[in-house]
Structures are given as structure tokens and as C-alpha cells.
């Protein structure tokens, strides 16, 4: 005969059972909500620091397995002797042992020094700062537009799920999400830049400006060049945001608190806006912050297709050499932006849902 052990029930002095929640909540009650939140923040900051160190390690070793010799790539087409190649390798520190290159790289990166570009012969930080405004303009506008569209249409689709509008929005979103951004960009160039059939070419094939405009005419010229790349980014990003928001809100639709709100006589639009949408925002907030991280990274393929002079095009140029300091610096900036945005999203969660971090 086997005996099964049963957990002991802790009782109050009056004989009633003591209610005990999850260990984390019990700990939060013991130390207080403010201390619990500070410990939550400290844990997230520690995780971000570990992630950043992993990025430094990855950026150093990953791009050193790329085939090719950076020094020979820089001197391609010129007659150079072995002695001159050796001088260049010594100048860029490529003759040092790998462990010494790694420690030097980490020390300089943590102090903000990302090195000197092989092909541009300029500090990597200055090159990134020079190209960042173009990327910020392009991807920043796209993220704002498709986040607003995705949240609005995703909410309406979920609230009226099964209707014609929901089926239409979901079908379009699924089709756009499955299309690679660079391929959609090429199609838009063929149709609206080159022109096809009765459709004339209306937009530039690439670049950020014509170069001969000033004042307000320059602003209009840049906006004219932005139409197709922004449309490409919005098409894919809006589809993702809509589908995530729709799915999150559908999970909330059958909750008891919504039934209670309706029973109190609240209007349907008020129930949606004040109760359902805030509780469905957590997954969407994560995705929006990740998309904000993409503002720094840009879209390498889309920027390359449209010859947009931003960080994405710069990364493509650096990768083709390979320009190790520039590639590593851009990789750190891209990944660092994503880590920062994820950290901000984690810190925002407790403000949206008090259960998080308690």
C-alpha cells in the first residue's frame, strides 16, 4: 500500500485556511510594492547589460568568419607589395592575437570608440551620426503611420470579428505580411517609378533628394522621394501590428469584466476603449517598441533597393568589403537600440498592468 504525501494546510488561529498566492506575489507583499518594482527594474537592467555584452561578443566574432581579407579588399586594383600589406595589417591591428583584438575592441566600444572605418578612413561614430538622420526620417515616419493604422484597424477587426470588414482587413494583412519588403519595393518601383501600361512613372526610383531644391521646395522633394519606401515599410509593418492587436483583443473579448461593464449600462464604444483595449495592449506594446528599435536599424534591404542614404545602405556597403569596424559598430548600434526598446517596454508594463513586477 503506497501513501501519497499531501501538502500541509496552514491555518489561522481561528481555524480558517491562510490564502497564499504565488511566491512572487507573496514576496512582493512582504517587501512592499515600491521595493518589488525596484527589484523588477534591477533585474531588467541586469538582463539588458548581459544582452549588450553578448552583442559585443557576437559582433566581434561573427563578422570575422566572413570570407575575404579586408586589407586586400581595400587595396583591390592597386599594385601593393607584401610589405605594404603587412604595414596596413599592423596599422589596423589585424596582426595582433585574436584575444588581444577582442579585449581592445570591448574596451573601446564600452567607452564609445567604435574604431576607424577601413574604406572611409573616418571614425565609425561620425559615419553613423551622419547617416542616422536619413534613417530616422524614413523609418520613424513609417513606424508612426503603421502603428496607428495597425492599432486602429486591428481593434475594429477584433471588435467586429467575423464581419466583412474583419475578413477583408485580415486577408489583406496576411497577404502583405507574407510579402518580402524588398520584393514589394521592387514591384512599386516597376509600377510607379518606371511605369507600366497606362500607369506613368510618378516617383523617383531612388535616393533622398534631387539635389537642386532649396527651402520648402526641398521639403516637398524629400517627401516625394519618401513615398515609395515609406509605403513599402508601412505595408508590411501595418499588417503585423493589425494581426497582433486583433489576436490580443480577441483573447479579451470573452472576459467576465467586459460582461460586467456592459451590465452596468456602459456604451459598447466605452467598454472597448476603457476596458478591453488597455488590457489587450501588452503584446502590441512589445511589438511597437521593437519597431521603434528598428528606427535606428532602419531596413537594410528596403534602403538598399531605394538607394536611401541611411544606416541600412551604409551597412550593406560595409558588409561588401568587409569593413570590420564599421560592420561591428553598426551591428552594436542596431542591437543596442533593440535592447533599449525592449527594456523600456519592460519598464512600461507595470504602468499598464499592475500585476507585472509585483
Amino acid at each position: 500500500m503506497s501513501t501519497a504525501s499531501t501538502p500541509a494546510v496552514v491555518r489561522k488561529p481561528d481555524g480558517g485556511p491562510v490564502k497564499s498566492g504565488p511566491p512572487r506575489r507573496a514576496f512582493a507583499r512582504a517587501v512592499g510594492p515600491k521595493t518589488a518594482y525596484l527589484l523588477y527594474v534591477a533585474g531588467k537592467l541586469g538582463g539588458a547589460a548581459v544582452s549588450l555584452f553578448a552583442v559585443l561578443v557576437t559582433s566581434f566574432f561573427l563578422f570575422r568568419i566572413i570570407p575575404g581579407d579586408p586589407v586586400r579588399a581595400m587595396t583591390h586594383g592597386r599594385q601593393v607589395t607584401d610589405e605594404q600589406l603587412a604595414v596596413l595589417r599592423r596599422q589596423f591591428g589585424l596582426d595582433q592575437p585574436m584575444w588581444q583584438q577582442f579585449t581592445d575592441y570591448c574596451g573601446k566600444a564600452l567607452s564609445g570608440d567604435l574604431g576607424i572605418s577601413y574604406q572611409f578612413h573616418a571614425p565609425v561614430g561620425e559615419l553613423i551620426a551622419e547617416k542616422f538622420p536619413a534613417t530616422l526620417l524614413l523609418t520613424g515616419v513609417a513606424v508612426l503611420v503603421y502603428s496607428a493604422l495597425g492599432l486602429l484597424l486591428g481593434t475594429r477587426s477584433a471588435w467586429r470579428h467575423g464581419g466583412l470588414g474583419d475578413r477583408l482587413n485580415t486577408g489583406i494583412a496576411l497577404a502583405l505580411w507574407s510579402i518580402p519588403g524588398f520584393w514589394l519595393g521592387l514591384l512599386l518601383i516597376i509600377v510607379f517609378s518606371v511605369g507600366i501600361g497606362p500607369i506613368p512613372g510618378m516617383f523617383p526610383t531612388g535616393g533622398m533628394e534631387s539635389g537642386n531644391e532649396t527651402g520648402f521646395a526641398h521639403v516637398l522633394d524629400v517627401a516625394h522621394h519618401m513615398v515609395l519606401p515609406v509605403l513599402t515599410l508601412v505595408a508590411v509593418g501595418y499588417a503585423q501590428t493589425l494581426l497582433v492587436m486583433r489576436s490580443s483583443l480577441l483573447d479579451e473579448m470573452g472576459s467576465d469584466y467586459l460582461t460586467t461593464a456592459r451590465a452596468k449600462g456602459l456604451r459598447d464604444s466605452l467598454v472597448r476603449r476603457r476596458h478591453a483595449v488597455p488590457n489587450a495592449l501588452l503584446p502590441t506594446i512589445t511589438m511597437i517598441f521593437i519597431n521603434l528599435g528598428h528606427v535606428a536599424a532602419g531596413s537594410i534591404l528596403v534602403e538598399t533597393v531605394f538607394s536611401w542614404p541611411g544606416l541600412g545602405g551604409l551597412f550593406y556597403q560595409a558588409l561588401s568589403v568587409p569593413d570590420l569596424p564599421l560592420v561591428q559598430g553598426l551591428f552594436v548600434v542596431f542591437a543596442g537600440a533593440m535592447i533599449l526598446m525592449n527594456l523600456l517596454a519592460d519598464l512600461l508594463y507595470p504602468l499598464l498592468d499592475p500585476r507585472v513586477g509585483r
Side-chain angles (χ1 to χ4, degrees):
M1 178 177 173
S2 61
T3 59
S5 60
T6 57
V9 178
V10 180
R11 296 185 178 275
K12 299 178 182 178
D14 61 1
V18 175
K19 294 182 180 180
S20 60
R24 188 170 183 174
R25 293 185 184 177
F27 174 75
R29 286 195 297 270
V31 301
K34 183 178 293 187
T35 304
Y37 179 70
L38 291 176
L39 291 174
Y40 170 81
V41 171
K44 295 301 179 182
L45 289 174
V50 172
S51 298
L52 184 59
F53 178 74
V55 166
L56 290 176
V57 174
T58 304
S59 66
F60 179 81
F61 290 103
L62 176 64
F63 298 109
R64 275 167 172 74
I65 64 176
I66 298 175
D69 184 348
V71 173
R72 289 194 177 275
M74 284 186 292
T75 58
H76 180 70
R78 287 177 285 179
Q79 293 291 335
V80 291
T81 63
D82 291 339
E83 290 77 12
Q84 290 173 320
L85 291 175
V87 169
L88 287 174
R89 289 193 178 91
R90 185 163 56 252
Q91 178 182 345
F92 294 118
L94 297 175
D95 62 330
Q96 298 175 351
M98 190 66 70
W99 66 268
Q100 188 172 349
Q101 292 184 45
F102 176 69
T103 54
D104 290 345
Y105 166 70
C106 288
K108 291 180 179 179
L110 292 175
S111 65
D113 181 5
L114 298 176
I116 304 296
S117 168
Y118 292 165
Q119 57 180 326
F120 296 106
H121 305 287
V124 170
E126 292 182 5
L127 293 172
I128 293 176
E130 178 185 346
K131 298 291 185 179
F132 179 69
T135 289
L136 179 62
L137 177 64
L138 178 66
T139 55
V141 169
V143 168
L144 289 177
V145 172
Y146 71 63
S147 295
L149 278 176
L151 287 173
L152 176 62
L153 296 179
T155 300
R156 290 184 176 275
S157 292
W159 205 250
R160 297 182 175 88
H161 65 282
L164 177 61
D166 177 37
R167 293 198 299 269
L168 184 63
N169 283 331
T170 305
I172 293 174
L174 287 172
L176 291 174
W177 200 6
S178 63
I179 297 176
F182 72 92
W183 187 72
L184 178 61
L186 290 173
L187 286 181
L188 292 178
I189 289 175
I190 293 172
V191 175
F192 296 107
S193 292
V194 178
I196 183 172
I199 303 176
M202 297 177 286
F203 299 100
T205 57
M208 182 177 174
E209 56 188 1
S210 300
N212 53 0
E213 304 289 350
T214 58
F216 186 67
H218 174 69
V219 175
L220 292 178
D221 183 47
V222 173
H224 190 220
H225 283 75
M226 285 178 61
V227 171
L228 293 185
V230 167
L231 184 59
T232 303
L233 294 173
V234 166
V236 179
Y238 130 84
Q240 182 185 23
T241 309
L242 182 147
L243 293 173
V244 172
M245 186 62 195
R246 179 182 180 276
S247 176
S248 301
L249 189 53
L250 283 176
D251 289 341
E252 298 290 332
M253 294 284 285
S255 300
D256 293 336
Y257 69 89
L258 295 183
T259 304
T260 303
R262 291 190 181 96
K264 290 180 178 179
L266 295 179
R267 296 192 308 273
D268 195 60
S269 60
L270 201 60
V271 172
R272 180 183 70 238
R273 187 172 64 253
R274 288 190 179 178
H275 298 278
V277 171
N279 285 283
L281 273 179
L282 287 185
T284 313
I285 286 294
T286 302
M287 190 191 57
I288 289 175
F289 271 87
I290 290 175
N291 290 336
L292 288 175
H294 288 157
V295 170
S299 179
I300 297 172
L301 293 178
V302 172
E303 286 192 15
T304 303
V305 166
F306 288 98
S307 302
W308 190 262
L311 295 180
L314 184 64
F315 186 81
Y316 179 80
Q317 285 181 271
L319 200 59
S320 61
V321 173
D323 188 340
L324 292 181
L326 185 53
V327 169
Q328 291 170 173
L330 287 167
F331 184 82
V332 169
V333 170
F334 295 166
M338 298 298 296
I339 293 172
L340 177 61
M341 290 298 108
N342 273 291
L343 176 62
L344 292 178
D346 287 336
L347 299 183
L348 182 62
Y349 284 164
L351 303 179
L352 298 174
D353 188 346
R355 295 171 297 179
V356 180
R358 299 291 190 267

